[in-house]
Amino acid sequence: MTKRTRFAPSPTGYLHVGGARTALFSWLHARKHGGAFILRIEDTDLERSTPESVNAILEGMTWLGLEYDEGPFYQTERFDRYNEVIEELMEKGLAYRCSCSRERLDDLRETAMANKEKPRYDGHCRSLDISPDTPHVIRFLNPDDGVVVVDDMVRGRVSFSNAELDDLIIRRTDGSPTYNLTVVVDDSDMGITDVIRGDDHLNNTPRQINILKALDKEIPRYAHLPMILGDDGARLSKRHGAVSVMQYMEQGILPEALINYLVRLGWSHGDQEVFSQEELIQLFDVDDVNKSASSFNTEKLLWLNQHYIKEADSYHLAHLLSPHLGRLGIDPAEGPDIVKVVEAQKERAKTLVEMAEISEFIYRDFEEYDEKAAKKNLRPVVREPLEKMKEALQQLDNWEETTLHQCVEDVSASLELKMGKVAQPLRVAVVGRAASPGIDVTLALIGKDACLRRIDMALEFIRKREEQA
RNA sequence: GUCCCCAUCGUCUAGUCGGCCUAGGACACCGGGUUUUCAUCUCGGCAACAGGGGUUCGAAUCCCCUUGGGGACGCCA
């Protein structure tokens, strides 16, 4: 049988890394087995679901490249179907009306807790035959005894005693169906064979299996994924920086880096760290997923991101870098070929944001020198090398890397100085700080006019500094 | 509180149904080399089987207990 998996987020916020990994594993499982990956929006909570959230989730999935084969299906459009199933359950005598007040329910819970017992509904309305006209909810008649076994692909066999479960509400007073009912109906109707979801749903699984059994439906295979914790080991939340997948995009993370990072959280293939999408589809197996929760480690994400930046096609990267330059108020069109910029900076940036920042000097004069760099390199002793460089550069017609390199070398030789003694002060003069690509590449990217102008600025800086001393 | 789950370096993890583990790799960190700077690359170092009982000739690997962590217990999903 072909495998069918699904990702079923509730649109009450952004797509966060936990959800993204769940979607990723589901997607990989489907792709690996040549099956279908279905997107379903669980928006039965009318209060909290928003269209903005739906868009944010769609946007995040698109960015990550997790394309779905069917959907998105919206649960709010399937209320008739849910009611049909609820009716079926009622007719079979496997569901009943309940008119217990919230106060009574609250009391029940408190009493149970006080008695050190698990809070559960006592079945008060089971045999009361409440009139359809009085306000009521509908509860599923859960079996009283026996055991439900979940044969989970990652957790193994987990069993729950029916005595621990209670008669859950499947339809609210306002007539809307609840989660445990809709999931079961949808997974069944949509032919989902493999339910891959977060760990927090493990406790719901026996309830869902009971409903499935009552409906005489096939029970899918389950895989409950461990949680992802924040950098500090606590639960991932808004307090832990970037929660939304799209925030990573804004921070200049490549989607393939995030995917690669996420897949290694809870899954591994020997000692391999870097996986292409094709490799993942081939090698991934839910059965190999870890049982324990893992902490998100931004450092490693950054390392992977740098790796992918290094490996990426420069032309492609240029496209991605452009908006980040724009955010700094830079129009890439007003500088050298942006592909050249990318090639010069590729190995020096962990993110696209960083790449944009360290490339700023190429497009405009800097406001002030990096204090340390200036202190160390813009001293009176470098006046001569800088002046000599200025003269030599002024006379240079052919402003390109090879000739620039030769030029710096010649000046160094004529002064009997090591190349670093000339190149480094020159770098600080034209870049404003101590780090940049090779001096020849740096000069080439900045351009002749700006270079000469900045050397003058540096000479002026040295002169003033001397006066003050 | 009750039920369910989890437990190897700071972090992600390897560890084929016990021996090849004086526990391997990666990130981070520290040090060396390459280099005109930074970075890349490269070499090396630091660092863990939560604790206690068993089972066994032999346990990180199996069992039990303790401890710690997480999840669930909603007319949320």
Side-chain angles (χ1 to χ4, degrees):
Chain A
M1 187 171 58
T2 52
K3 296 204 186 287
R4 292 170 63 81
T5 68
R6 44 65 156 191
F7 177 51
S10 58
T12 55
Y14 298 103
L15 179 63
H16 54 85
V17 292
R21 195 194 49 165
T22 303
L24 171 63
F25 282 15
S26 236
W27 179 84
L28 280 173
H29 189 64
R31 287 291 169 273
K32 183 188 179 65
H33 297 284
F37 176 58
I38 293 142
L39 177 63
R40 183 172 75 225
I41 305 296
E42 309 216 322
D43 53 355
T44 53
D45 184 349
L46 281 2
E47 303 267 306
R48 297 193 297 160
S49 300
T50 65
E52 290 75 31
S53 294
V54 173
N55 288 337
I57 290 164
L58 259 30
E59 193 186 14
M61 290 181 70
T62 302
W63 181 64
L64 288 172
L66 302 177
E67 74 282 4
Y68 40 90
D69 304 302
E70 293 172 32
F73 296 111
Y74 293 84
Q75 294 194 318
T76 42
E77 291 174 6
R78 291 173 45 79
F79 276 21
D80 289 348
R81 170 86 258 250
Y82 306 134
N83 280 323
E84 195 177 299
V85 174
I86 290 168
E87 281 312 312
E88 182 186 336
L89 250 14
M90 286 290 286
E91 278 163 31
K92 282 183 175 170
L94 293 168
Y96 62 92
R97 295 185 199 92
C98 166
S99 61
C100 289
S101 66
R102 289 179 201 249
E103 292 70 39
R104 191 181 113 76
L105 265 20
D106 290 343
D107 285 348
L108 222 48
R109 228 186 321 271
E110 277 170 36
T111 315
M113 294 280 261
N115 291 338
K116 300 179 188 250
E117 280 170 8
K118 185 173 181 170
R120 53 193 289 284
Y121 180 64
D122 61 357
H124 179 258
C125 295
R126 272 189 178 190
S127 54
L128 253 42
D129 195 26
I130 311 289
S131 154
D133 299 327
T134 56
H136 64 273
V137 298
I138 293 181
R139 288 181 183 273
F140 171 69
L141 188 76
N142 197 77
D144 286 321
D145 29 52
V147 169
V148 185
V149 175
V150 181
D151 199 1
D152 196 277
M153 289 184 276
V154 345
R155 326 263 1 173
R157 291 177 88 82
V158 183
S159 46
F160 298 84
S161 167
N162 268 323
E164 292 293 331
L165 276 24
D166 65 356
D167 297 343
L168 63 275
I169 292 172
I170 54 177
R171 185 160 77 189
R172 303 184 182 93
T173 307
D174 68 5
S176 62
T178 62
Y179 169 74
N180 280 299
L181 187 275
T182 58
V183 170
V184 157
V185 173
D186 285 344
D187 284 341
S188 173
D189 284 359
M190 295 171 190
I192 304 301
T193 59
D194 300 69
V195 173
I196 298 172
R197 63 197 352 176
D199 213 345
D200 46 339
H201 288 292
L202 184 57
N203 289 283
N204 286 323
T205 309
R207 299 169 180 284
Q208 294 173 11
I209 289 178
N210 281 337
I211 298 177
L212 247 8
K213 281 180 180 165
L215 255 18
D216 210 22
K217 299 287 191 189
E218 202 153 326
I219 293 158
R221 298 266 286 147
Y222 293 98
H224 287 94
L225 274 20
M227 302 213 62
I228 296 177
L229 309 173
D231 268 324
D232 58 359
R235 187 174 181 169
L236 209 56
S237 73
K238 292 180 186 70
R239 274 173 290 130
H240 294 92
V243 267
S244 158
V245 157
M246 294 315 284
Q247 274 178 296
Y248 288 103
M249 183 193 81
E250 284 161 22
Q251 288 170 13
I253 300 292
L254 265 28
E256 49 269 50
L258 221 211
I259 290 277
N260 199 144
Y261 179 71
L262 252 22
V263 83
R264 284 284 287 100
L265 238 36
W267 176 84
S268 63
H269 184 257
D271 288 339
Q272 191 171 344
E273 295 288 348
V274 178
F275 298 86
S276 67
Q277 182 170 296
E278 296 70 40
E279 282 178 307
L280 285 180
I281 291 171
Q282 186 186 34
L283 300 171
F284 182 81
D285 192 331
V286 251
D287 288 316
D288 297 335
V289 173
N290 273 182
K291 296 177 182 178
S292 52
S294 43
S295 297
F296 195 91
N297 184 225
T298 306
E299 295 291 346
K300 192 157 184 177
L301 202 215
L302 254 21
W303 171 74
L304 270 168
N305 200 49
Q306 179 164 38
H307 170 83
Y308 278 98
I309 285 177
K310 241 165 23 196
E311 302 289 307
D313 172 68
S314 296
Y315 188 81
H316 173 63
L317 269 188
H319 265 282
L320 300 178
L321 176 64
S322 194
H324 287 100
L325 285 170
R327 218 170 277 191
L328 293 175
I330 293 167
D331 178 2
E334 288 172 4
D337 183 357
I338 187 170
V339 175
K340 288 219 166 68
V341 174
V342 166
E343 270 164 5
Q345 303 284 212
K346 254 178 145 174
E347 291 182 344
R348 280 166 244 273
K350 284 179 162 40
T351 68
L352 294 172
V353 168
E354 188 185 353
M355 193 185 286
E357 283 167 358
I358 61 173
S359 300
E360 215 176 328
F361 73 88
I362 295 167
Y363 299 91
R364 59 188 176 210
D365 291 353
F366 44 88
E367 294 295 322
E368 53 190 24
Y369 295 101
D370 173 79
E371 207 177 314
K372 262 190 177 172
K375 193 172 181 186
K376 189 178 175 194
N377 294 288
L378 299 184
R379 294 178 297 165
V381 287
V382 307
R383 179 184 292 124
E384 194 187 2
L386 279 184
E387 281 171 346
K388 282 269 165 27
M389 273 311 312
K390 186 188 161 192
E391 284 169 33
L393 291 175
Q394 235 159 4
Q395 286 164 17
L396 196 68
D397 306 316
N398 207 355
W399 197 266
E400 51 189 47
E401 287 168 34
T402 47
T403 50
L404 284 164
H405 188 86
Q406 192 59 49
C407 185
V408 178
E409 229 169 40
D410 291 347
V411 170
S412 305
S414 75
L415 293 167
E416 291 183 341
L417 286 171
K418 278 188 178 174
M419 200 166 153
K421 291 286 183 191
V422 175
Q424 195 54 14
L426 179 58
R427 169 176 285 111
V428 176
V430 299
V431 177
R433 53 182 168 190
S436 85
I439 192 67
D440 43 3
V441 177
T442 300
L443 295 171
L445 287 171
I446 294 171
K448 189 170 184 175
D449 290 350
C451 279
L452 295 174
R453 182 169 70 239
R454 292 181 196 176
I455 291 173
D456 279 336
M457 276 169 54
L459 288 169
E460 175 67 10
F461 177 84
I462 293 169
R463 195 182 60 76
K464 275 189 183 160
R465 184 175 168 175
E466 213 170 11
E467 278 173 9
Q468 282 173 356

